[in-house]
Amino acid sequence: MKKTCSLLIALSTLPAFADVEYTLKITQPEHHLGEVEVTFPKSAQAHMDIKLADWRTGRYQILNLANGIRAFDATDSKGRELEWHKVDKSTWRVHLDSPTQVTVNYQVYANELGLRARHIDDSHAFVDASGFFMFSESFRHEPVTVEMKVPDQWRSVSGMDFAGNKHRFKAANFDVLVDSPIESGINQLHKFRVDGRDYELVIWGEGNYDVDLMLSDLKKLVKTGTLIWQDYPYERYVFMVHATSGAHGATEHLNSTIIQRHRDAFAKRDDYIGFISTAAHEFIHTWNVKNYRPAGLVPYDYVNPNYSDLLWLAEGSTSYLEDFLLLSAGIITHEEYYKGLTKRISRHLNTPGREIQSVAQTSFDKWINQGGDHGKNFSTNIYSEGALISMMLDIKLLDDSEGEVSYRDVHTLLAKRHELPKSFNSQDVINILNEISGQDYSAWWKQNVDTPFVLEVDALLDKVGLTYRHPVSSEEVAGFDGQAVSKGQLLELQHVARGGNAWQAGLTSGDKLVAINKHQVRDTLDNTLALFAPKEKVTVHFIRRHKLMSTEITLSAAQSKPKQVAAVLQPTKRQQQLYLAWMGVPHPNAQ
């Protein structure tokens, strides 16, 4: 972490002060409560604004974390109470009559495990500083210490260095603290060393995971960094895993990650690939986002949104590159990669919003974009769409250069030239593309990044010896352009594709299908449609606003089995050449 930390320290232009000291005491874990004490160095200001973050790094969404703060008070260096009032929902203004050290105390309600912001219970505390620790811009760049007052049997682990005891940590400044979560509690800890760097795997919770397999694959994974970047920005890295229920997802941090999965979602091969793919994703973020990131995200503004039209590159490119690392390292097979790519392409083609919103637009609007039926019809996703744009760009570079230049070279140069505290914008990326390709990518960028792109699947995959086709056993069946889930004896529409047959018939999400041509619906939409022929015109009875209604719809012609990505059986020499340059391993049918 030495390089990144030194860069963050360099952001400070203020004179040195004493440390900012944080203490978290677990008081009533069964009620998710803790007490925080923060001591700020002596200040001569007329007042000090003390803030709690409104969002946390890695999740571009306002979280309103101050809603868990109660019992705030402030005292001076002699323990005398200081006057204070709230300026806004997450800012406390403390008034100073004379220069003094300021100590604030407050209670934190920590029951947001799924947000990966803060959680306390009788078995552990997960501490992301954004959800626990207030800060002052006046001392944001000063050194900090964190003391955990926890039960004796608990173990505390963090990407930060220890400071004197097993529950005390130190960081160069608040930016390092907020990007270095702490997992404290009853947990497993496994340490290993690869290529001169130290690693830790800490697991909270019981589950059907195989620790030996996890360690074996993590050791393979962490060796792959130099396949893209020239060096590592850390000397120690911590993988934190929550085997739990009711929470899933992951977040990247400076030299650590937190990964949450259901306790029973590790053993099956598909589930395990989900875990190790997530680990690869967060590992890549150690460079892409934590070592170099778009201008709109530098520096982080913890109380206001950081807007960027390049979040697709920060997140989607990370999703794309994870497959390269996993396949190159032999952690997943070609077929497992194709299975994941199939899902990504199918999701894109079944998202009408791809025709409305470009990846640049969805990046900027990440703070307000929503999921659900409207989101799917009118917007896109920075992860899946960004991954596909990255693949398009990668294969184009490889095709244009006869396999000599790839998208990985773009990230190599971003890390080299735009390392924090520098940043980069879209033109910087275009300049790199022009430089390494010897061509002008401005028009391509405008057509595919700034404008909703069109994915020419067959032509794209053919360049690297892959196909995207229905299995030979697939048959034509009746189709309904929407999705539904069983609700008792009814089927409730969850999504109606914009412009599809159900949309044109006036159906919408929330409608409850009762019958089609007077045949009561079955347990699934597919089983219900099996009674009818492709292109057949039918009458649908449904319930809306507690009233029985009906409409006519012409069923489409669909396929019983979806398209799948597969390797061509006899790839040409050029396809073999580009596949090897693309994935780092030979085409599965190479001769």
Side-chain angles (χ1 to χ4, degrees), residues 484-503:
V485 296
S486 177
K487 290 292 180 74
Q489 300 297 312
L490 307 176
L491 290 175
E492 182 176 308
L493 293 178
Q494 301 293 297
H495 170 61
V496 175
R498 178 178 51 81
N501 56 3
W503 177 282

Side-chain angles (χ1 to χ4, degrees), residues 19-138:
D19 292 1
V20 179
E21 299 177 354
Y22 293 92
T23 301
L24 171 61
K25 182 179 181 181
I26 308 301
T27 54
Q28 300 178 62
E30 66 277 11
H31 298 300
H32 314 292
L33 294 174
E35 293 179 2
V36 173
E37 179 180 279
V38 189
T39 299
F40 296 98
K42 187 176 182 179
S43 174
Q45 304 171 82
H47 65 262
M48 182 186 298
D49 283 347
I50 301 173
K51 306 176 182 181
L52 190 73
D54 271 336
W55 63 283
R56 61 158 180 74
T57 63
R59 184 170 183 136
Y60 307 102
Q61 177 185 359
I62 295 298
L63 301 177
N64 293 320
L65 296 168
N67 62 6
I69 305 300
R70 296 291 186 273
F72 180 94
D73 67 55
T75 57
D76 64 13
S77 56
K78 296 183 179 180
R80 296 174 298 198
E81 291 189 5
L82 294 170
E83 180 184 350
W84 62 272
H85 71 280
K86 291 196 73 172
V87 176
D88 56 41
K89 62 185 175 62
S90 55
T91 304
W92 289 255
R93 177 165 293 173
V94 178
H95 298 274
L96 310 181
D97 295 329
S98 60
T100 182
Q101 173 181 285
V102 175
T103 298
V104 299
N105 289 272
Y106 50 91
Q107 181 191 80
V108 177
Y109 175 69
N111 194 24
E112 292 89 6
L113 181 63
L115 295 179
R116 293 179 294 286
R118 59 184 179 218
H119 190 252
I120 295 172
D121 68 13
D122 58 357
S123 68
H124 90 137
F126 175 71
V127 180
D128 186 300
S130 60
F132 279 91
F133 299 141
M134 295 185 183
F135 69 100
S136 168
E137 288 287 354
S138 301

Side-chain angles (χ1 to χ4, degrees), residues 116-322:
R116 293 179 294 286
R118 59 184 179 218
H119 190 252
I120 295 172
D121 68 13
D122 58 357
S123 68
H124 90 137
F126 175 71
V127 180
D128 186 300
S130 60
F132 279 91
F133 299 141
M134 295 185 183
F135 69 100
S136 168
E137 288 287 354
S138 301
F139 300 104
R140 175 171 168 174
H141 303 296
E142 301 310 311
V144 302
T145 61
V146 179
E147 180 86 22
M148 300 286 293
K149 301 289 187 180
V150 297
D152 292 339
Q153 68 271 28
W154 284 19
R155 173 173 31 225
S156 297
V157 182
S158 176
M160 293 182 287
D161 292 332
F162 286 108
N165 67 61
K166 63 181 182 178
H167 297 297
R168 182 178 173 86
F169 300 94
K170 61 182 179 180
N173 50 49
F174 182 77
D175 291 284
V176 175
L177 171 63
V178 85
D179 237 337
S180 304
I182 303 169
E183 173 60 37
S184 183
I186 301 170
N187 52 57
Q188 297 184 43
L189 179 62
H190 305 273
K191 298 183 179 182
F192 57 99
R193 189 171 175 84
V194 176
D195 294 338
R197 285 172 288 273
D198 294 316
Y199 297 88
E200 297 175 19
L201 170 63
V202 57
I203 306 173
W204 167 68
E206 298 179 356
N208 62 358
Y209 45 79
D210 181 337
V211 172
D212 290 338
L213 178 60
M214 294 165 73
L215 290 171
S216 175
D217 283 345
L218 289 175
K219 289 175 183 178
K220 297 175 184 176
L221 173 64
V222 299
K223 292 176 68 70
T224 61
T226 50
L227 294 178
I228 303 175
W229 301 278
Q230 295 178 337
D231 54 19
Y232 285 68
Y234 62 83
E235 294 182 356
R236 175 173 163 265
Y237 191 93
V238 180
F239 292 95
M240 299 179 183
V241 176
H242 287 170
T244 182
S245 58
H248 67 277
T251 303
E252 72 277 4
H253 289 286
L254 196 61
N255 65 327
S256 62
T257 181
I258 170 63
I259 300 171
Q260 295 177 331
R261 294 185 67 81
H262 191 281
R263 64 183 75 254
D264 297 324
F266 291 89
K268 294 180 180 178
R269 183 60 184 173
D270 283 351
D271 288 339
Y272 179 74
I273 290 176
F275 161 74
I276 200 64
S277 296
T278 301
H281 183 100
E282 308 309 331
F283 175 65
I284 290 170
H285 270 317
T286 311
W287 290 269
N288 185 19
V289 172
K290 295 308 176 184
N291 198 242
Y292 58 91
R293 60 177 176 259
L297 302 180
V298 181
Y300 284 136
D301 182 342
Y302 301 115
V303 295
N304 295 294
N306 278 96
Y307 294 105
S308 170
D309 60 1
L310 287 170
L311 282 182
W312 69 266
L313 189 149
E315 293 292 349
S317 293
T318 300
S319 294
Y320 172 68
L321 292 171
E322 72 190 44

Side-chain angles (χ1 to χ4, degrees), residues 457-473:
V457 182
D458 294 335
L460 184 70
L461 295 184
D462 181 68
K463 293 183 184 298
V464 290
L466 300 179
T467 64
Y468 182 62
R469 298 173 182 170
H470 292 289
V472 293
S473 58

